[in-house]
Amino acid sequence: GHSFVALTTRGNAAIKVALSNVEGKVLIPEEGGWLSYQTLPKTLGLEVQKVKCNDAKIDLHDLKNKIKNCSAFLYQNPGGYFAEQPMEEIYNICKNNCLVIMDVSGSIGTTLCNGKFADVIVGSFGKWKLVDAGKGGFISSPKIVYPNC
């Protein structure tokens, strides 16, 4: 559902581009996210704070408590490739406070990949992903946010 899509060399490159205009703190799930969620923000000088999860599902109460002091929330749907996230509720909690970046590497082509509930969508086409091209990734947005990607 996003109008603007760019291919990237890797899924991690898409995440890095998505975070490139963010300042301050990035929230990530404590479970069910990709390994680079913890490291990539730090390479850009961003602080990382974890949101509680229950079997990789985002704890909405903890998200509400932490969202006020952050610039972005980066999460995966489904969490850990198995836990369907309440993406509409997540987006409604975040939309007036921070950028919502949803990683859909495990849901592209399904109802769990819905651009109405994310400011930016990222994904990987690496080995064993739903789109198994062996390499590459993408970033999308409803408006041009990353013209040099």
Side-chain angles (χ1 to χ4, degrees):
H2 284 178
S3 302
F4 300 94
V5 179
L7 297 178
T8 59
T9 56
R10 299 183 60 204
N12 281 347
I15 294 169
K16 193 169 186 176
V17 169
L19 293 172
S20 66
N21 291 331
V22 172
E23 295 178 359
K25 188 185 303 179
V26 176
L27 295 179
I28 63 170
E30 70 178 359
E31 302 172 355
W34 190 238
L35 299 172
S36 61
Y37 291 6
Q38 295 180 49
T39 58
L40 275 176
K42 292 176 184 176
T43 67
L44 296 168
L46 301 169
E47 181 184 344
V48 174
Q49 184 176 12
K50 293 182 181 179
V51 175
K52 291 180 185 176
C53 295
N54 183 11
D55 292 327
K57 190 169 181 179
I58 304 296
D59 179 320
L60 298 179
H61 180 72
D62 193 49
L63 178 61
K64 285 178 191 175
N65 288 336
K66 293 178 178 169
I67 202 69
K68 295 174 186 137
N69 298 316
C70 77
S71 299
F73 179 48
L74 168 63
Y75 76 101
Q76 184 179 45
N77 197 17
Y81 291 98
F82 67 89
E84 182 176 337
Q85 300 291 5
M87 63 186 157
E88 184 173 2
E89 291 88 345
I90 289 170
Y91 189 70
N92 287 333
I93 290 168
C94 297
K95 69 182 178 183
N96 295 320
N97 294 296
C98 72
L99 189 70
V100 177
I101 304 167
M102 182 167 50
D103 181 341
V104 297
S105 297
S107 63
I108 192 166
T110 75
T111 58
L112 300 181
C113 175
N114 190 330
K116 290 180 3 184
F117 305 117
D119 299 306
V120 178
I121 292 179
V122 296
S124 171
F125 302 142
K127 198 171 187 180
W128 302 304
K129 304 291 183 182
L130 288 179
V131 179
D132 184 352
K135 63 180 179 177
F138 78 95
I139 182 169
S140 73
S141 180
K143 58 186 184 239
I144 295 177
V145 194
Y146 306 101
N148 299 323
C149 144

